[in-house]
Amino acid sequence: MDRRSFNLGLGTAIATAGAPLSARARPYDGPNVILVRFGGGVRRAETIGEATTYAPYLRHVLAGRGVFIPDMRIAQLDGVNTSHAEGTLNLLTGRYLAYRDAGSKFLQDRLEPTEPTLFEYLREAFDLPSHQALLINGEDRPQEEFFTYGVADHYGIAYRSEMLSLHRFKLYKFAQIIADGTAEEAVLENARTQYADLMATDPRAITPDQSPEVTAFWQRWRAHYGDDGFRNPRGDRLLTALATRALRELKPRLMMVNYQDPDYVHWGNPSHYTRAIQVIDDGLQRLVETVEADPFYRDNTVFVISPDCGRDDNPLMGVPFQHHFNSRMAHETWAIIFGAGIERGRVLDKVVDQSAVAPTIAALMGFRAGQAEGDALSEIFI
């Protein structure tokens, strides 16, 4: 995409912003976008440091294939927290503080967007089924199941994304066991209890039903891995398995993969953190190889990779690799953007705000993220 096309596309998006949905929605024919949250809070030293990285594929291969942004920052604003849910919503909405408490429990940040997400903007602008707008979520962060849609006027559940996560698979599995009714009573009673507990994690008055395409996806997943949970991958390897299978079976046009395992450094020694970075790096390679092997995605896909937040090693605090104290390093992130229509081999040598990610993806895909605070990085397009 050249800059003239970028400006024309953005002008069209602005001009049609007030049109009725039936007049505006049209088939989507732009590039596919895979947004990867290099999650769990990571420092630059262990990720993009040329000599110190634990993610060599990211740093030494992917950074050179597109635009490398070594200095992305989370704005220092009153009330802005450098944590995972908040950082993820910054990436999805292009705004800070664009969320509200959805019923938090101790040590759980149950936030839901108050401004439209990229998925809502996309599906409002284009005639795109919900299973082609996907969030891939980790099993240990069920609070992020809320990110499929926000509560902004004219958007919301009608334009939601679908969610692939172990939480959603369990909802499917236990509903199937209950509906089948042939299991022993103890198994049925356990299924009823588990199903009720899973439903209780989301107090919003919506059904858990996913699209027929996603239901069929879970049917195949269950047939392959079974019910006991011992055969399918876990942690961030699970997210890679879900994402690569989704690329093959559901063909999403916009997909976000919420990696998270580096956050385990809170509960153990630093090797938990550095090993988790390596696992994400391996997952990135599998995602890229899956895209390159598929004609549907090859030469028509853009990857956007960026952390949710940074991480510090302040020796004056008793928490290793902390990020909850609003330290400078917790505000320091980075991004790598590469693929169709993106300049190759460029280092963007300037400070870029995290709020730029959402409007840049919107510009790539041909819609406008009208409530985003950041500016699209138009200079990275060919």
Side-chain angles (χ1 to χ4, degrees):
M1 176 189 294
D2 58 30
R3 291 188 179 90
R4 181 175 181 276
S5 299
F6 166 82
N7 291 327
L8 287 173
L10 188 58
T12 300
I14 295 171
T16 61
L21 178 61
S22 58
R24 184 166 70 255
R26 59 197 187 277
Y28 182 71
D29 60 0
N32 310 294
V33 174
I34 299 174
L35 172 58
V36 177
R37 181 188 78 178
F38 207 110
V42 292
R43 302 191 311 179
R44 292 172 178 170
E46 291 84 22
T47 51
I48 61 169
E50 189 167 6
T52 57
T53 183
Y54 285 83
Y57 182 71
L58 171 87
R59 181 62 184 90
H60 301 308
V61 178
L62 298 184
R65 290 180 55 171
V67 176
F68 175 34
I69 305 172
D71 194 0
M72 181 170 280
R73 300 184 191 178
I74 299 169
Q76 293 270 7
L77 301 172
D78 288 343
V80 170
N81 294 322
T82 51
S83 195
H84 315 302
E86 291 88 342
T88 303
L89 288 172
N90 298 344
L91 295 171
L92 274 176
T93 66
R95 290 184 67 90
Y96 295 107
L97 302 173
Y99 43 77
R100 70 182 186 187
D101 192 328
S104 297
K105 297 182 180 179
F106 181 63
L107 293 180
Q108 286 190 335
D109 44 357
R110 291 178 177 273
L111 307 177
E112 64 181 346
T114 54
E115 300 291 349
T117 65
L118 285 169
F119 300 105
E120 294 168 86
Y121 285 126
L122 174 66
R123 293 196 60 221
E124 192 266 351
F126 296 100
D127 182 13
L128 201 70
S130 61
H131 69 275
Q132 290 189 330
L134 285 180
L135 267 168
I136 314 294
N137 194 36
E139 62 184 286
D140 294 324
R141 296 194 62 79
Q143 60 267 46
E144 292 177 4
E145 303 286 318
F146 292 86
F147 296 171
T148 54
Y149 68 94
V151 294
D153 291 342
H154 311 302
Y155 291 92
I157 191 171
Y159 304 107
R160 74 189 188 281
S161 69
E162 297 280 356
M163 176 75 77
L164 298 183
S165 65
L166 196 61
H167 175 90
R168 297 295 173 114
F169 171 65
K170 289 178 179 178
L171 273 172
Y172 165 81
K173 177 184 71 174
F174 290 125
Q176 292 297 306
I177 292 171
I178 295 166
D180 182 62
T182 60
E184 295 180 359
E185 184 55 36
V187 175
L188 284 171
E189 184 57 32
N190 177 67
R192 296 185 192 105
T193 300
Q194 296 278 3
Y195 184 80
D197 289 345
L198 290 165
M199 288 291 290
T201 64
D202 190 342
R204 299 175 297 180
I206 63 170
T207 67
D209 296 339
Q210 295 190 283
S211 68
E213 292 83 0
V214 173
T215 299
F217 177 92
W218 290 132
Q219 184 178 26
R220 293 187 293 269
W221 181 273
R222 186 183 182 198
H224 185 75
Y225 287 113
D227 286 347
D228 57 22
F230 296 133
R231 296 172 177 82
N232 57 267
R234 305 301 294 268
D236 279 348
R237 291 185 179 89
L238 170 69
L239 273 67
T240 300
L242 286 169
T244 53
R245 185 178 283 253
L247 289 170
R248 292 191 296 268
E249 298 182 7
L250 297 175
K251 294 292 186 282
R253 307 308 300 264
L254 174 60
M255 181 173 75
M256 183 177 191
V257 184
N258 287 339
Y259 287 120
Q260 65 179 29
D261 282 0
D263 199 39
Y264 285 130
V265 72
H266 282 310
W267 316 112
N269 59 52
S271 68
H272 295 168
Y273 162 72
T274 54
R275 179 58 188 144
I277 290 173
Q278 294 170 323
V279 168
I280 297 176
D281 197 49
D282 291 342
L284 281 169
Q285 185 165 358
R286 284 192 58 196
L287 286 170
V288 172
E289 289 173 350
T290 300
V291 163
E292 292 177 342
D294 190 336
F296 183 83
Y297 289 105
R298 189 189 311 126
D299 302 323
N300 190 37
T301 298
V302 177
F303 280 84
V304 181
I305 308 166
S306 190
D308 43 2
C309 62
R311 197 171 279 278
D312 205 348
D313 61 352
N314 191 330
L316 301 179
M317 296 180 180
V319 181
F321 295 94
Q322 57 85 17
H323 60 88
H324 290 294
F325 301 95
N326 211 28
S327 62
R328 176 184 59 83
M329 289 178 65
H331 284 261
E332 296 176 346
T333 67
W334 48 266
I336 293 172
I337 304 173
F338 68 94
I342 301 298
E343 191 171 349
R344 291 181 64 95
R346 178 177 180 181
V347 177
L348 196 59
D349 189 19
K350 69 176 187 178
V351 176
V352 175
D353 196 84
Q354 191 181 47
S355 62
V357 171
T360 299
I361 291 173
L364 277 166
M365 302 188 81
F367 61 90
R368 182 171 179 262
Q371 300 303 311
E373 296 170 313
D375 296 320
L377 301 173
S378 59
E379 67 266 40
I380 72 173
F381 304 133
I382 296 173

